[in-house]
Amino acid sequence: LPRATAMFGPTFAGESVIRLDDVAADPRFGQSGPHFGMPEGHLPVVSYLAVPVKTPAGEVLGGLFFGHSEPGRFTAVSERLVVGVATQAAIALDNARLYARQRSVAETLQQSLLPERLPSVPGVVMAARYQAGGPDVEVGGDWYDVIPLPTGQLGIAMGDVVGRGERAAALMGQLRAGVRAYAADGKGPAQILAGLNALLHDNGAEQMATLVLGMFDPVTFELRFANAGHPPPVATLDGRTTLLDGTTGIPLGATAGATYREVTLSLPPGTTMVLYTDGLVEVPGESLDDGLARLVDIVAGATDIEDLCDRATSAVSDTRTDDAAILVLRVEPLGSRISLQLPAEPHALREVRATLRRWLGECGASETEAYELLVVGGELCSNAIRHAGGESRTFTLDASIDDDKVVTLRVQDQGSWRQPRVDEGGRGLAVINAFAGEVTIDRAAGGTTVVATRRLTGADSAVAS
Amino acid sequence: VTVLLQRHGSITVAHVNGDIDMANTASLLAAILAGIDVDDVALVLDLSAVRYLDSAGVQMLFELARHLDTGRRAFAIAIGDGSPARAVLKITQVEEVASVRASVDEAIDAVAGTTTRSPRGEKP
C-alpha cells in the first residue's frame, strides 16, 4: 500500500482530488525516501488522477488511483466520472458495513438467546440444533429454550418470530423472558401463551410469533402443552410416530384476547418428542405434507437423538433458505445409578426429592422405604447446602442400587461438615441413623463425603414402629 | 407449601399442605405465627397432608413450640399413625413439646382442656 507521502497524503486524508497532466512535474513528487519518486519496476505513470472514497459522514474508506504513461490524459470529465464512481462506492461500502454490523448484532443477540447448553435432567436426554439461513439471508427468529422449573417440571419452548433481523431477535428475547417469568410464577402453557399474546398486543408492535410450549414432569411423565400457530410436535409413543396436532391455536400477536387449549399426555420412558421450526419442513418446491412426512420418517427410524438432529437438519441443508431449529427429548429409564450436580441452594432440595422419588419407585422401594430414603437424602443434601464451600458452591448426589437391592446415597460437597449443634444437625443425624442401615462421613481437606446405605426389602419396614 | 387457617373457638387449626424443607421453614413459621389470634389458648398443627418432613421441619416445630410456650398456649400436632413423617417426629422426640395425635379432632380434644390463658409467672 502507498504511504501517506506528500503525493498520497491529500487522498488518504480525504482532503482533495489530485489530477495532474505530468505527475513528475508536481512539487509534491519525489519528496520521500527511500525512492524519491517511483521505485524501480513501477508501471510508468505520467498522467495521474487520485480520488478519495469518502462516506457521507466524511470517513475515508480508500482511494481510486489512475495512471497513464502519456501526459494529459485525464480531463475534467474523467475527474467528474471518477468522483461519481467514488461517491457511489463509498455509499455502497458504507451500507455493506452497516448491514454486516446489524447482522452481527442480530446474530449475537439471537445466539445469546439460545441455550448455551441444555440442562441435565436425570431420565431425560436432550439434543438440539440451530442452523442459520445462510450468509445472504437475514437472521431469522427461530428460538428454543429448556427451563428447569421450581416444581421439578421441565419447561420446553420452540418458537419462531415472524420477520427477520434485529427486530425479530429483540422480540425473541422478550418472548423468552416472558415464558421464563410466567413459568416461574407457576402458570401453565395455555395461560402463558394467552399472557404473551396480550403482551404482544399491548406493545402495539404489530409483530407475530408462533410458539409451542410444553411442561414435562420427569417423575409422573405427564406432558402439558399448548400451541400458538406453530408446526405440531412429532412424538413416538408406543412405537408409533405421529404429529401432535389438533390443538394448534392462532399465532401470538394475531388477535387480542386469544385463548389456547391445553393438552395433557403421558410420555413414559421410551418416548421421543421432537419440536422444530418450519425451516425444517418447508422447502421450496416441496409440499408441507411431504416435509412433515420426511421428518416423521426420520424420527421413526432414529435410534440416537444426536443422529436424529443431524439427519433432520442435513435433509434440508441444501434447499433450505429459512433458518431451522430442532429440539429432541427422549424419556429414558433412570437405570441403576443416577447422579445430580446441583447448586448449594435450598431450592435444589425439591429437585433432589423429585428425582429420588421417581428413581426409588423404579427400584421397587415400598412407600415407607422410599419416604425414609427420601428423608436420608434430604438430610444429607441439606447439610451439604448448609456447609458447602469452594468456588462452585455446588454439591453432588449419587444414588445407586446393586444386585442385592442395597441402595447407596452418596453426597459430596466442597465444604467442611462442622460438628453439628445439638438442636440442629443432631436431629438430622438421628434421623439419618434411624433410616439408613449404615452411614459413613469422610471429612477430607477438599470437602466432605457422606455415604448412607440401606437394603430394600420392599416391605414397609420402618424403624420407629 | 401452603397453610390454611381455621378457627375452632379459641383454638387455631393450621392445615399444612406440601413438602416442608429448609427452603420454606422460615416462611411457614411466620405464616403460622401470624395466624394465631391474641385470645387463642392453643394451636393445632395439621400435618396430615405433608408429603415430606425432615429435621429442618422438626427444627421449625421446636421453634414454634417455644413461641407457643412463651404465650402460654398449648400445642398439638395432628398426623396419621400411618404417615411416614410420623416416624420422623418420633425419632426427634417432638412429643416432648407437643401432643401428637392421629387426627385433627383428637388433637383439638388434647388441647381443649386449656380453656383460659393464665399470664406467665402468675401464682395460682
Side-chain angles (χ1 to χ4, degrees):
Chain A
L1 272 172
R3 293 167 296 143
T5 58
M7 182 57 78
F8 293 126
T11 314
F12 292 151
E15 287 164 7
S16 61
V17 172
I18 301 176
R19 179 163 62 88
L20 302 169
D21 288 340
D22 182 355
V23 69
D26 191 89
R28 290 169 291 190
F29 184 79
Q31 298 300 305
S32 308
H35 302 298
F36 301 99
M38 283 176 270
E40 206 175 324
H42 194 284
L43 289 167
V45 174
V46 181
S47 299
Y48 178 73
L49 174 63
V51 177
V53 175
K54 212 158 73 167
T55 67
E59 188 190 354
V60 180
L61 299 175
L64 297 174
F65 299 87
F66 297 85
H68 199 284
S69 53
E70 286 167 26
R73 296 301 291 245
F74 300 127
T75 63
V77 174
S78 332
E79 182 180 327
R80 276 208 299 280
L81 187 70
V82 173
V83 167
V85 169
T87 307
Q88 293 293 326
I91 291 168
L93 284 168
D94 202 30
N95 283 344
R97 285 197 313 174
L98 191 66
Y99 175 75
R101 199 154 52 221
Q102 271 182 340
R103 186 184 161 86
S104 123
V105 166
E107 261 174 8
T108 307
L109 195 56
Q110 190 200 30
Q111 271 155 25
S112 74
L113 293 170
L114 295 177
E116 237 170 76
R117 58 190 180 86
L118 299 168
S120 153
V121 181
V124 183
V125 290
M126 287 176 267
R129 299 282 186 280
Y130 171 78
Q131 284 198 336
D136 51 341
V137 180
E138 260 196 288
V139 175
D142 289 6
W143 65 284
Y144 59 89
D145 202 4
V146 181
I147 314 153
L149 298 172
T151 54
Q153 291 175 309
L154 209 52
I156 306 149
M158 174 65 75
D160 187 356
V161 173
V162 178
R164 294 180 171 282
E166 288 164 306
R167 279 188 71 209
L171 183 60
M172 264 175 65
Q174 290 179 17
L175 291 173
R176 182 177 188 264
V179 168
R180 285 187 167 249
Y182 282 134
D185 208 25
K187 293 198 163 44
Q191 275 181 299
I192 296 176
L193 289 182
L196 293 174
N197 183 63
L199 264 181
L200 244 64
H201 256 276
D202 294 348
N203 278 355
E206 291 172 8
Q207 273 179 296
M208 291 212 296
T210 65
L211 177 61
V212 61
L213 196 59
M215 286 186 187
F216 177 64
D217 188 326
V219 177
T220 64
F221 309 125
E222 183 189 272
L223 172 79
R224 298 160 64 194
F225 83 99
N227 190 343
H230 201 79
V234 175
T236 297
L237 291 158
D238 302 326
R240 280 187 59 239
T241 303
T242 49
L243 293 169
L244 302 178
D245 50 10
T247 61
T248 309
I250 52 175
L252 303 175
T255 173
T259 57
Y260 296 91
R261 210 153 61 84
E262 203 164 286
V263 171
T264 301
L265 58 142
S266 180
L267 303 183
T271 310
T272 304
M273 188 172 74
V274 179
L275 306 173
Y276 56 94
T277 55
D278 56 4
L280 212 63
V281 290
E282 280 184 10
V283 171
E286 186 189 70
S287 78
L288 178 60
D289 284 347
D290 287 348
L292 287 170
R294 187 188 52 246
L295 180 62
V296 167
D297 280 350
I298 290 172
V299 174
T303 48
D304 178 78
I305 62 169
E306 296 288 344
D307 182 50
L308 194 169
C309 286
D310 288 337
R311 286 172 60 195
T313 47
S314 64
V316 293
S317 61
D318 293 339
T319 42
R320 187 172 43 80
T321 53
D322 204 358
D323 54 349
I326 180 170
L327 171 65
V328 183
L329 284 89
R330 178 167 285 170
V331 186
E332 294 193 331
L334 289 170
S336 61
R337 172 180 292 272
I338 55 170
S339 187
L340 294 172
Q341 180 170 19
L342 294 162
E345 304 290 341
H347 66 77
L349 291 170
R350 201 199 277 250
E351 189 179 333
V352 166
R353 289 196 297 274
T355 305
L356 274 182
R357 266 191 190 115
R358 175 182 160 191
W359 182 73
L360 288 165
E362 285 182 21
C363 288
S366 74
E367 208 176 310
T368 307
E369 283 174 333
Y371 183 83
E372 293 180 358
L373 279 165
L374 214 57
V375 171
V376 172
E379 295 287 356
L380 298 182
C381 293
S382 297
N383 273 314
I385 290 166
R386 285 190 192 102
H387 304 306
E391 278 296 298
S392 62
R393 290 224 15 108
T394 60
F395 68 98
T396 56
L397 165 69
D398 294 286
S400 58
I401 184 164
D402 67 13
D403 292 341
D404 294 326
K405 289 250 162 204
V406 174
V407 169
T408 302
L409 301 180
R410 185 170 169 278
V411 174
Q412 191 168 20
D413 65 56
Q414 284 112 48
S416 55
W417 238 44
R418 273 161 278 147
Q419 203 56 40
R421 285 195 292 146
V422 177
D423 64 339
E424 187 188 282
R427 289 199 195 97
L429 277 180
V431 173
I432 294 169
N433 283 324
F435 287 161
E438 202 175 318
V439 184
T440 58
I441 302 174
D442 175 23
R443 296 181 182 86
T448 305
T449 305
V450 189
V451 179
T453 60
R454 168 151 171 192
R455 191 166 167 275
L456 299 182
T457 62
D460 282 340
S461 67
V463 173
S465 51
Chain B
V1 72
T2 58
V3 190
L4 180 73
L5 298 163
Q6 278 185 333
R7 304 205 52 76
H8 285 257
S10 53
I11 298 170
T12 289
V13 181
H15 304 272
V16 183
N17 197 322
D19 289 10
I20 302 175
D21 66 19
M22 68 185 287
N24 58 28
T25 46
S27 59
L28 182 60
L29 179 63
I32 295 168
L33 290 175
I36 296 172
D37 195 89
V38 68
D39 296 325
D40 277 0
V41 295
L43 173 80
V44 168
L45 189 64
D46 177 16
L47 300 180
S48 312
V50 167
R51 291 201 315 159
Y52 178 85
L53 177 86
D54 63 16
S55 65
V58 169
Q59 171 70 14
M60 187 217 68
L61 295 177
F62 276 89
E63 276 176 47
L64 179 58
R66 256 198 302 278
H67 279 280
L68 293 167
D69 188 50
T70 306
R72 306 291 286 166
R73 293 182 176 98
F75 182 22
I77 294 171
I79 186 163
D81 282 334
S83 162
R86 178 73 186 81
V88 176
L89 299 189
K90 197 157 191 169
I91 293 159
T92 53
Q93 297 163 351
V94 172
E95 282 105 333
E96 288 184 6
V97 294
S99 311
V100 181
R101 298 291 185 272
S103 70
V104 172
D105 287 346
E106 287 174 64
I108 290 173
D109 285 347
V111 292
T114 344
T115 45
T116 53
R117 204 151 63 86
S118 53
R120 176 148 241 189
E122 189 181 293
K123 299 260 177 350

